[in-house]
Amino acid sequence: MERSLETQVSQAVDAWLRWLPRWEPATHRGRVAPCRRCLGSPVLSAAGLGADVPHGVQHGLSTRVKTIVDHAVAEYTSRNLPMLQGELDTQADRNRSRSYRPAEGLEPEFEGLPLDPDPVPGAPFLFTIAGLADEADAVVPALPPLSDEAKAALRQEVRLADEYASMVGREVCTVLLRHRLRIQAAVGQYVEPQIAAMLEELTRSLDAPFDGGDGLSGL
């Protein structure tokens, strides 16, 4: 497993490094709620991407690495956890029957992010992507209920899957430590200059709030 994970992490970092030169600072209003995938992520800590790195830069890497863990857990589940696998297969069939699935097939930089922007007070949306997805989900039949014994067995298998995910996550973070230098070098090359330019522009605008005018009349 270790060699396989090492190869997968290296490929994920390579893909992120190829994308990073295309990153640009967001010009829209920032979100109020933090990203649950990235906040306090041990993956980002292992990569050396701290809180001073823009979230968009963090999210592209954390999502790619999460995919590695998810695939490993999926393989483990298919081999060892038949009840949980059956529930997942049933849920997958249910999802495929939905007519609208906006959260599927997204690029890693957007996967897991909210489907809609934060609402503006006093300016309600006519509709939201999440709302349309909920409407499509509402017409799909619910999953069949489970007996108490089945629920207990399923909880046990979910616990085993979680433990395996934690183990794989630790392995992935160990491998990711070996890539910290090139990750940080790329941030220094592509991200930090753009942030510095934004701060310089902000400083100029604060130093000259009336730039372009002839001064205040009467003074």
Side-chain angles (χ1 to χ4, degrees):
M1 175 188 292
E2 183 176 356
R3 185 180 300 111
S4 175
L5 285 178
E6 185 170 354
T7 299
Q8 292 178 65
V9 171
S10 179
Q11 292 172 343
V13 173
D14 289 343
W16 178 79
L17 290 173
R18 289 193 297 270
W19 164 80
L20 191 60
R22 304 197 301 271
W23 176 82
E24 294 181 355
T27 56
H28 54 75
R29 183 170 58 93
R31 291 190 175 276
V32 176
C35 176
R36 291 179 294 179
R37 178 171 298 180
C38 297
L39 182 64
S41 168
V43 166
L44 297 177
S45 297
L49 297 179
D52 57 332
V53 177
H55 174 246
V57 175
Q58 297 176 330
H59 194 85
L61 182 61
S62 65
T63 297
R64 286 180 167 89
V65 174
K66 180 181 181 296
T67 299
I68 297 173
V69 178
D70 289 347
H71 286 171
V73 174
E75 292 179 1
Y76 172 81
T77 300
S78 66
R79 294 194 305 266
N80 302 288
L81 307 175
M83 187 167 190
L84 177 57
Q85 185 62 55
E87 286 295 306
L88 293 174
D89 290 342
T90 301
Q91 182 65 64
D93 291 340
R94 184 179 187 275
N95 289 340
R96 282 191 292 269
S97 67
R98 288 183 296 159
S99 60
Y100 184 53
R101 303 190 294 271
E104 297 181 9
L106 300 177
E107 295 296 325
E109 294 77 34
F110 305 104
E111 183 183 330
L113 293 177
L115 296 175
D116 300 287
D118 289 330
V120 177
F125 296 124
L126 295 177
F127 63 89
T128 63
I129 294 176
L132 294 175
D134 289 341
E135 290 178 8
D137 187 61
V139 301
V140 179
L143 296 175
L146 297 174
S147 67
D148 291 340
E149 294 79 5
K151 290 179 181 178
L154 183 59
R155 282 194 293 267
Q156 172 66 9
E157 292 196 0
V158 169
R159 183 182 64 80
L160 293 173
D162 287 343
E163 291 176 354
Y164 187 79
S166 296
M167 183 193 73
V168 175
R170 289 192 294 270
E171 293 284 346
V172 165
C173 288
T174 299
V175 176
L176 199 56
L177 287 170
R178 305 168 196 167
H179 297 273
R180 288 189 72 162
L181 290 180
R182 63 188 189 124
I183 288 172
Q184 293 173 348
V187 170
Q189 180 178 357
Y190 298 112
V191 178
E192 292 179 359
Q194 296 192 65
I195 300 301
M198 289 182 64
L199 292 175
E200 183 179 355
E201 177 63 27
L202 177 62
T203 300
R204 285 199 301 266
S205 65
L206 292 176
D207 287 343
F210 304 108
D211 188 27
D214 296 325
L216 297 178
S217 59
L219 296 181

